Amino acid sequence: MDGFSFRSAVACGLAVVIAILTAPAHAEKRVALVVGNNDYKNVPKLQKAVNDARTMGDTLKQLGFEVMVAENQSRQQFSQSLLAFDNAVGPGDTAFFFYAGHGFEIAGQNYLLPTDVPAATDGQEELVRDASVLADRIVERLQNRKVRTSILVFDACRNNPFERAGTRAVAGGGGLAPMTQLPEGVFSIFSAGYKQTALDRLSNDDNSPNSVFTRTFAKELLQPGENLVEVAQHTRKLVSEMAETIGHRQIPAYTDQMVDNVFLNGVAKALAGAAKPTEPPQKVAALPPVSVPKAAPQSDSVNAPIAVFSRHNGGWTVAFSIVDPTLGISWRIGNGEFRETGFMDTLDPRTRKRMPNPSIQLPADAPAATIEIRYIDASGEMQGPFPIKFDPEAALIHDQRKILDMTATSWLSFREFNGLLVYYTHLVSYRCAIREVRIGIDTTVPDKVLKMPPCDLGDPNSIPYNAQLYMKLAPSTQLMSVELTYRDGSVSEIKTFRTANRSTN
């Protein structure tokens, strides 16, 4: 390996939103740390990072967060700010971390650059590592604090800070390392797609103080009734359309591995319009105009059920996770009667009664809807109803994406049969979660597109009778590499498969 052993993470701005769910231990607080670094000492200065942090801080205050704003942080100051953030959050809280400034990828890990990061040239990776903040470490710190929901946003989309005329910079192919190894309960969004550059402005006449991504993302956060997935989808569409007006390609990419919906500004619009207020308007006037709607207040409870959707040949299984011990669970769609889920042949040691069935079945053609769940707690009190949004297409993509992540070793298989064949049946089976498959033959750089059949939402796991499921390789082929671009725009790690692991059956 030559000196180009790590790639610039600044050619593509990163915005990662992570939701880590644990059982709450106390009343939820909303706490945010926003960091903006402009005034770099040894690498090029930036113009909009501090403004981006201030805008996000103002936005989060409107959403009820206690906000700490940190500007132009040296390495020591950055550490102190993170320690203060640690001390401000605890079990059951919602934590929001925002960073705008230079970022860099080294050996698959993303680093946030303080203002005193030293200039570095070819082969000086350790200088950058030692002087910077590892992004994954922030995730670990918030997990250690057992916060209920962690939201991290990194807008590090500027040019390579280490490029210098006449020198070999510590740089490479460009792009951030995808953060694909995050646990379930994680939502991530990049301000641009893999190997794309995020725009600070649209033209010389663009007088906005914020980057194209941050100005859009901040506005979407304030839209009432949007969960984080909807915020990401709308941000992605708007940013892409704005970039296209000047012939630039920027499509924010997000990864949804959360197990429930997270609303920062109220519950779903349909429910908010249908239910009646439970408190006088003056009781929520402290946070206009983005206070949590008063309709269905139970939906914002820290004990609200979490739903996981799984698609199978017979339809949908919806499994509910409820923190409280329960004596019974019921559900409905629309305005019909609530139906009991029934009971399992298992005793719940917490109640010493039969355990309620935690799942329901929906038909394969079930339309998008809101499922209302309620349950009887251990004291016999009815809790709920709690609204859970069911979007069949989004649920299918999420489910198949999770399966693909868990079965990456099965993406390709090799077989000796009148020559060397490579089968990609597994990818075809879960193609609804995939936008593009790229492969490399005898190279670790996927440089060819492998065509997939179109997704059939009505029968997503079926394989068309005329689908091509394998390709013939030269007998001398030693390895293949695979990279998936998912429907949400995120990109998998590059997986390498060696043909030595082949079957002769």
Side-chain angles (χ1 to χ4, degrees), residues 280-335:
Q282 60 267 26
K283 293 292 183 65
V284 294
L287 293 174
V290 293
S291 55
V292 177
K294 299 169 287 302
Q298 302 96 324
S299 65
D300 288 330
S301 166
V302 292
N303 292 327
I306 295 168
V308 177
F309 301 91
S310 299
R311 184 68 160 82
H312 48 81
N313 289 339
W316 291 95
T317 295
V318 186
F320 305 111
S321 175
I322 301 174
V323 173
D324 292 339
T326 60
L327 301 178
I329 302 172
S330 58
W331 66 284
R332 72 177 181 184
I333 294 178
N335 297 320

Side-chain angles (χ1 to χ4, degrees), residues 238-498:
L238 293 170
V239 170
S240 174
E241 290 174 348
M242 286 190 288
E244 284 184 2
T245 63
I246 61 170
H248 183 78
R249 184 173 175 79
Q250 179 182 346
I251 306 174
Y254 70 89
T255 301
D256 176 18
Q257 299 192 94
M258 292 188 300
V259 293
D260 70 346
N261 288 326
V262 174
F263 294 90
L264 292 183
N265 188 24
V267 296
K269 296 173 184 176
L271 289 171
K276 295 181 179 179
T278 59
E279 293 186 24
Q282 60 267 26
K283 293 292 183 65
V284 294
L287 293 174
V290 293
S291 55
V292 177
K294 299 169 287 302
Q298 302 96 324
S299 65
D300 288 330
S301 166
V302 292
N303 292 327
I306 295 168
V308 177
F309 301 91
S310 299
R311 184 68 160 82
H312 48 81
N313 289 339
W316 291 95
T317 295
V318 186
F320 305 111
S321 175
I322 301 174
V323 173
D324 292 339
T326 60
L327 301 178
I329 302 172
S330 58
W331 66 284
R332 72 177 181 184
I333 294 178
N335 297 320
E337 296 293 326
F338 278 91
R339 290 178 280 177
E340 302 292 332
T341 62
F343 294 88
M344 304 174 66
D345 292 329
T346 304
L347 291 181
D348 187 336
R350 300 172 298 176
T351 63
R352 298 191 177 185
K353 298 180 183 294
R354 289 179 67 189
M355 184 177 293
N357 183 359
S359 66
I360 63 173
Q361 304 296 319
L362 297 177
D365 58 353
T370 296
I371 305 171
E372 288 189 298
I373 299 297
R374 66 183 187 184
Y375 65 89
I376 300 173
D377 64 21
S379 64
E381 296 292 327
M382 180 69 74
Q383 301 295 329
F386 302 92
I388 295 175
K389 183 177 179 181
F390 172 55
D391 181 335
E393 183 173 359
L396 172 65
I397 293 170
H398 177 274
D399 186 41
Q400 290 200 354
R401 162 69 189 271
K402 184 163 56 176
I403 293 171
L404 286 167
D405 284 343
M406 294 172 61
T407 59
T409 57
S410 301
W411 289 357
L412 297 184
S413 62
F414 300 97
R415 183 184 178 191
E416 293 272 9
F417 185 77
N418 294 330
L420 178 59
L421 305 179
V422 58
Y423 281 81
Y424 45 90
T425 312
H426 194 74
L427 296 178
V428 176
S429 297
Y430 300 104
R431 64 192 180 278
C432 288
I434 302 172
R435 178 187 298 170
E436 183 180 74
V437 179
R438 299 187 69 86
I439 61 172
I441 300 175
D442 274 335
T443 174
T444 57
V445 179
D447 54 3
K448 300 179 179 62
V449 175
L450 182 62
K451 188 174 181 181
M452 292 282 108
C455 168
D456 180 2
L457 292 176
D459 193 4
N461 296 116
S462 67
I463 297 176
Y465 74 94
N466 59 347
Q468 181 72 24
L469 301 178
Y470 65 90
M471 61 185 298
K472 193 167 185 178
L473 300 174
S476 60
T477 303
Q478 298 297 309
L479 63 85
M480 286 185 63
S481 57
V482 181
E483 180 184 71
L484 306 184
T485 299
Y486 293 105
R487 285 275 297 276
D488 60 18
S490 62
V491 181
S492 73
E493 290 184 345
I494 297 175
K495 305 293 183 181
T496 301
F497 299 81
R498 299 196 173 273

Side-chain angles (χ1 to χ4, degrees), residues 93-111:
D93 290 345
T94 295
F96 195 117
F97 175 83
F98 175 85
Y99 171 79
H102 282 310
F104 211 80
E105 182 229 331
I106 303 173
Q109 292 185 306
N110 296 317
Y111 291 83

